Amino acid sequence: MRTLISSAFVSLDGVVEAPGGEEGYRNAGWTFKDIEFVPEAFALKGAEQEQATAMLLGRTSYEAFSGVWPDMEDFARYKALPKYVVSTTLTEDGLVDNWGDTTILRSLDEVAALKETEGGPIIVHGSASLNRALSDAGLIDRYHLLVFPLLLGAGKRLFSATDKDAQKLKLVEHETYANGIQKNVFDVVR
């Protein structure tokens, strides 16, 4: 079974919306505004590219990333990886042709089936709604969280407010950086 990894920039109060400056959110760009850049805090992102064998995205994140990441040197490794987009509305003509093989999945059952295939880790970037659904369905195996020392209040959250049984996590790696960012890597305990 493949490992499904949720990778997120998250504020201390759980917000994941618009970390890179996407329009329409009051605190857009919060990962670099008023936060000193410390390169080692982002080393996890490079490691993810080396370890991932596929990428899973929701439609909104796919549309945002596919317009920028294919031509960015920082994300060159992702260009060759197969990509899977979970969407009930995206059509084949909505896919870009310069970002490698992309498959549209229509349900969480299809994500569960993908996890059963041969291959290595599948990484999820962005995709707040998809992350919440995957977590609630018990499909996420590991969380890579870079927690920023900010309280953002309103905004899309990484975790849902669904009333469900507790899900235990095991902290397997952590580090704190001079700028206050914390790296927390959790495995989901089954």
Side-chain angles (χ1 to χ4, degrees):
M1 178 182 281
R2 299 173 84 172
T3 302
L4 186 60
I5 301 168
S6 170
S7 177
F9 294 131
V10 59
S11 68
L12 190 59
D13 58 348
V15 175
V16 293
E17 187 168 355
E22 299 80 356
E23 292 183 23
Y25 176 61
R26 176 183 181 165
N27 292 310
W30 52 269
T31 58
F32 56 85
K33 290 181 180 174
D34 300 323
I35 301 282
E36 177 190 356
F37 179 72
V38 176
E40 56 271 20
F42 298 93
L44 179 63
K45 297 291 137 193
E48 289 172 347
Q49 283 192 66
E50 293 304 315
Q51 296 166 1
T53 60
M55 187 185 305
L56 182 71
L57 300 163
R59 180 195 50 82
T60 301
S61 290
Y62 173 79
E63 289 173 346
F65 297 155
S66 68
V68 181
W69 282 16
D71 297 322
M72 289 182 70
E73 186 61 34
D74 288 346
F75 301 106
R77 171 99 167 74
Y78 284 145
K79 191 168 188 169
L81 292 184
K83 283 160 251 358
Y84 298 89
V85 183
V86 182
S87 175
T88 58
T89 58
L90 185 66
T91 59
E92 292 289 329
D93 61 342
L95 300 176
V96 299
D97 58 7
N98 65 334
W99 205 24
D101 293 335
T102 304
T103 302
I104 300 171
L105 304 178
R106 298 293 182 197
S107 69
L108 294 181
D109 288 338
E110 290 186 41
V111 174
L114 173 63
K115 284 185 61 175
E116 296 292 329
T117 62
E118 293 292 321
I122 303 166
I123 192 88
V124 181
H125 284 290
S127 309
S129 297
L130 176 60
N131 262 293
R132 290 189 299 273
L134 292 167
S135 179
D136 287 348
L139 293 172
I140 295 176
D141 301 297
R142 176 173 274 200
Y143 291 94
H144 287 183
L145 305 178
L146 287 181
V147 182
F148 285 71
L150 299 168
L151 299 174
L152 298 174
K156 293 178 186 174
R157 307 268 179 211
L158 179 61
F159 300 105
S160 78
T162 301
D163 185 13
K164 62 183 180 180
D165 291 338
Q167 186 174 48
K168 186 170 168 74
L169 304 175
K170 179 181 178 185
L171 183 65
V172 295
E173 188 178 338
H174 64 90
E175 195 164 346
T176 304
Y177 304 98
N179 60 1
I181 294 175
Q182 298 174 28
K183 173 177 70 175
N184 293 302
V185 176
F186 293 98
D187 281 343
V188 175
V189 176
R190 306 245 186 248

